[in-house]
Amino acid sequence: MTSSPRIKGWCPGAWRPMATGDGLLVRVRPPLGQLSRQQVVALCEAAETFGSGLIELTSRANIQLRGVTEASWPPLMVFLIEHQLVSDDPQVERQPQLMLAPAWQEGDDTHTIARLLQTRGSKLAPMPGKIGIAIDAGKAPVLCDSAADFRIERSVEGCLIVRADGYECGTAVNEPEPAVEQLIRLTHWFVDSGGWDSGRMRRHTAPLPDWAPADTAPASPGEKLALGKHSEGRVVGLPFGRVAVNTLRAAVSPINVSALQVTPWRRLLVKGGDTLPAVDGLISHNSDPRLAMDACPGAPYCEQASVSTQPLAERLSGWVEASVHISGCAKGCARQRPAALCLTGRDGRFDVIVNGRADSAPVKADLTESEALDFIRKLNERS
């Protein structure tokens, strides 16, 4: 009997790495979602010296170093702290994740709110480890499809709103300061009303308090950052969210590059990189079919995966003119939403799912990789 994948209920961090198939997984939260050019170079050195040389960008706009060992983790932490990539206070990492709308500029509302929350982070209620906060205060919210439990975004009328996940509308506020105070108060309500048992805001069934009416609609969603030239530099994509250190070094090698802003969409905004040449290992065109594909690390990188995923995703690239998800197990870490085509690993073989998630019922099960590819080819011929 096949055992179900284990859901650990917490996210890895720098101070709390997670053991996985290729060693310890160390997650770094870029401060305000941005790294200076010097920090990017340092991160590459850290991944190469203390890990496997692979860097990943997560769906919460965090950076992961893979292949860290029990012996290399302590000196890695010293290095990360020295380069201001990790706080020397483990309690800071236990504060909720802040995810900023990419392309923020210094002094705008997204940046101002983030700085306020940085200084008042200790005022937030202690909450479950997967809780996240999205700061999305541009003209139109762009993080709507990204996981967050509490959001500060813009309303249809142009004011700021504080919105709890699971509610279509939020509470109107006038300025960044009151927005931050409202959000802090909402986190305490979440905990006091049983949030630890719920785990996430979308699963929380307690009604919102009277002082947090969900009566103001957010603005219509804006567009994600397109690849190519940007007013701040250039946007590039990471195939399936992974990049080798030499590729990332090349991306920040031009002298005019000042910083990288991370996104939850496997894309990086290279600030000042408007003259960045094409870099092997990065996606530079919006037509690249890999942008519509999701693939987890797979075996041997993840201890719960029974199949290799990303090489298969490369082979499938361009086969299906719709969303594709390849998951090493039924947990479906890389994509929680249904995909037009999903391949799920099970006991070293594949289940094929159409218009479903990694844990949905398959239309064909227990296939080898070549059998799965043949089946998909026949599906395409019939469609």
Side-chain angles (χ1 to χ4, degrees):
M1 180 176 177
T2 304
S3 61
S4 299
R6 298 186 308 279
I7 299 175
K8 298 186 177 180
W10 58 279
C11 295
W15 284 105
R16 192 187 185 192
M18 181 181 285
T20 186
D22 60 340
L24 296 178
L25 188 68
V26 176
R27 185 171 290 178
V28 175
R29 300 177 177 184
L32 301 184
Q34 181 167 285
L35 298 170
S36 69
R37 183 174 183 268
Q38 293 74 20
Q39 285 178 313
V40 176
V41 172
L43 195 68
C44 291
E45 183 179 346
E48 198 169 47
T49 304
F50 306 106
S52 64
L54 290 176
I55 293 174
E56 293 175 337
L57 181 60
T58 76
S59 61
R60 282 194 166 188
N62 291 314
I63 288 175
Q64 294 182 159
L65 307 183
R66 304 201 67 98
V68 179
T69 67
E70 295 284 351
S72 66
W73 178 70
L76 167 64
M77 290 301 295
V78 172
F79 185 92
L80 294 176
I81 291 169
E82 177 185 346
H83 290 86
Q84 298 182 321
L85 290 163
V86 171
S87 171
D88 60 1
D89 181 1
Q91 294 298 327
V92 172
E93 188 174 283
R94 295 194 178 107
Q95 294 172 6
Q97 164 78 33
L98 299 184
M99 181 165 51
L100 278 65
W104 58 264
Q105 296 184 353
E106 189 166 350
D108 68 11
D109 280 348
T110 294
H111 177 251
T112 299
I113 291 167
R115 292 300 300 268
L116 287 170
L117 275 170
Q118 270 191 328
T119 60
R120 301 181 192 175
S122 61
K123 302 294 184 184
L124 294 165
M127 291 182 289
K130 287 184 174 289
I131 294 292
I133 296 170
I135 307 172
D136 197 6
K139 291 182 179 179
V142 296
L143 300 178
C144 306
D145 293 334
S146 301
D149 297 85
F150 304 99
R151 302 172 185 272
I152 298 179
E153 51 197 7
R154 194 71 59 181
S155 76
V156 172
E157 294 80 13
C159 69
L160 293 173
I161 63 171
V162 179
R163 183 164 67 90
D165 194 30
Y167 291 84
E168 293 184 2
C169 297
T171 304
V173 290
N174 295 321
E175 300 290 340
E177 287 261 7
V180 169
E181 292 301 324
Q182 177 78 359
L183 187 144
I184 291 172
R185 191 179 180 189
L186 202 57
T187 66
H188 285 274
W189 159 81
F190 174 75
V191 170
D192 293 343
S193 57
W196 274 95
D197 293 331
S198 303
R200 299 298 299 272
M201 182 61 221
R202 67 175 178 268
R203 297 195 293 262
H204 198 46
T205 57
L208 287 172
D210 293 342
W211 47 264
D215 58 5
T216 304
S220 297
E223 297 292 328
K224 297 177 182 178
L225 289 180
L227 299 185
K229 285 191 175 182
H230 185 274
S231 60
E232 296 289 315
R234 182 170 291 273
V235 180
V236 296
L238 305 186
F240 314 116
R242 179 178 291 179
V243 65
V245 293
N246 287 339
T247 301
L248 193 56
R249 281 196 187 102
V252 298
S253 60
I255 195 66
N256 59 330
V257 170
S258 60
L260 285 185
Q261 282 191 0
V262 295
T263 81
W265 314 309
R266 308 194 306 249
R267 303 175 189 207
L268 299 170
L269 171 56
V270 186
K271 298 189 74 173
D274 54 313
T275 58
L276 180 69
V279 177
D280 288 341
L282 297 178
I283 300 174
S284 56
H285 299 290
N286 292 296
S287 59
D288 194 301
R290 290 172 293 179
L291 295 174
M293 304 177 75
D294 296 286
C296 68
Y301 303 101
C302 177
E303 63 182 354
Q304 300 198 59
S306 66
V307 295
S308 175
T309 55
Q310 296 193 8
L312 176 57
E314 289 281 1
R315 291 183 64 185
L316 267 175
S317 176
W319 278 35
V320 180
E321 294 183 3
S323 56
V324 177
H325 179 196
I326 303 178
S327 183
C329 72
K331 190 176 172 184
C333 293
R335 183 185 178 100
Q336 298 300 310
R337 305 184 309 281
L341 174 69
C342 179
L343 280 78
T344 299
R346 182 168 58 86
D347 296 336
R349 297 168 79 87
F350 289 92
D351 293 347
V352 180
I353 297 154
V354 175
N355 295 322
R357 304 181 348 148
D359 57 355
S360 299
V363 296
K364 195 74 172 178
D366 198 32
L367 302 177
T368 66
E369 180 176 311
S370 60
E371 289 171 342
L373 290 172
D374 285 341
F375 182 76
I376 293 167
R377 188 179 292 109
K378 293 175 182 176
L379 282 179
N380 284 342
E381 290 172 355
R382 291 200 296 266
S383 62

